[in-house]
Amino acid sequence: LGTPLYNDSRTPAAGIKGTSQERTFIAVKPDGVQRALVGDIIKRFEARGYKLVGLKLTVPSKSLAEKHYADLRTKPFFNGLVDYMTNGKAPVVAMVWEGKDVIRQGRRMLGATNPLEAAPGTIRADYCTSIGRNIIHGSDSFESALTEITLWFNENELADWTPSNAEWVTA
Ligand code: ADP
């Protein structure tokens, strides 16, 4: 009970900007879970050499979703967006990924917010066509990553570990 997953030299929860310990918050939204895309999305980040340090299946509370999307609260689609994230028709897969330039590269792997503008080969272009059902979220800056990681995860839910292939991925 309460045993930490890390030691005292652990990476801070939000990661370290501009290093191989940079961290981002990625979430497979309920439509991505319903459409059975969780495995493909995790596979893409793993295959790129990024390290999974946080993972959980959760139906977020309304309050969490409203905080997560606080900067969109004046948009006409805000209530619909919060309902879609929180109504429990499917959970969200919340993740924290770590590695070099992972915030910016994560956004590039996701593709544009509107899937019709997303480059072929990106997750959104490959799997969706609707901006209101774009299957995945990724932090857009270090500041957002910091806010989102601490909003969705407790520190003891993040695992600090060294992959055995680290020297072949990071130099
Ligand atoms: P991103 O998710 O790429 O960071 P935004 O922060 O602009 O994009 O928007 C957050 C989420 O709000 C989008 O991923 C999408 O699910 C939803 N959204 C954005 N614009 C619209 C819209 N015009 N209609 C419906 N939903 C939208």
Side-chain angles (χ1 to χ4, degrees):
L1 185 74
T3 307
L5 293 166
Y6 44 73
N7 57 38
D8 284 336
S9 59
R10 68 187 185 273
T11 305
I16 308 172
K17 187 180 183 178
T19 72
S20 58
Q21 278 115 59
E22 186 171 294
R23 289 179 175 180
T24 193
F25 175 71
I26 299 287
V28 184
K29 298 179 185 178
D31 50 330
V33 175
Q34 278 288 357
R35 296 186 51 204
L37 296 173
V38 175
D40 179 85
I41 288 165
I42 290 177
K43 183 181 167 83
R44 289 176 185 230
F45 281 83
E46 281 188 330
R48 188 96 193 259
Y50 287 129
K51 179 170 85 172
L52 186 59
V53 296
L55 174 70
K56 66 178 164 189
L57 200 59
T58 179
V59 176
S61 66
K62 211 167 163 233
S63 142
L64 192 161
E66 285 171 354
K67 284 182 195 142
H68 176 82
Y69 283 125
D71 57 337
L72 299 174
R73 65 187 169 278
T74 60
K75 303 284 186 190
F77 57 81
F78 181 74
N79 289 339
L81 175 62
V82 169
D83 178 67
Y84 139 67
M85 292 292 287
T86 62
N87 67 23
K89 289 181 181 172
V92 170
V93 176
M95 298 182 277
V96 178
W97 287 92
E98 181 180 299
K100 268 189 212 169
D101 202 29
V102 71
I103 299 169
R104 192 168 68 98
Q105 296 304 323
R107 292 286 293 189
R108 294 179 71 207
M109 290 162 72
L110 264 58
T113 303
N114 180 349
L116 300 181
E117 305 302 328
T122 62
I123 294 165
R124 284 167 171 164
D126 284 356
Y127 296 122
C128 50
T129 54
S130 172
I131 194 167
R133 294 291 181 268
N134 63 2
I135 72 170
I136 186 164
H137 168 84
S139 307
D140 64 3
S141 65
F142 179 76
E143 290 65 34
S144 307
L146 188 142
T147 304
E148 292 167 2
I149 291 168
T150 51
L151 191 58
W152 288 79
F153 285 91
N154 293 317
E155 215 173 323
N156 68 2
E157 293 176 309
L158 299 173
D160 217 9
W161 59 289
T162 304
S164 58
N165 66 359
E167 66 173 306
W168 302 103
V169 174
T170 303

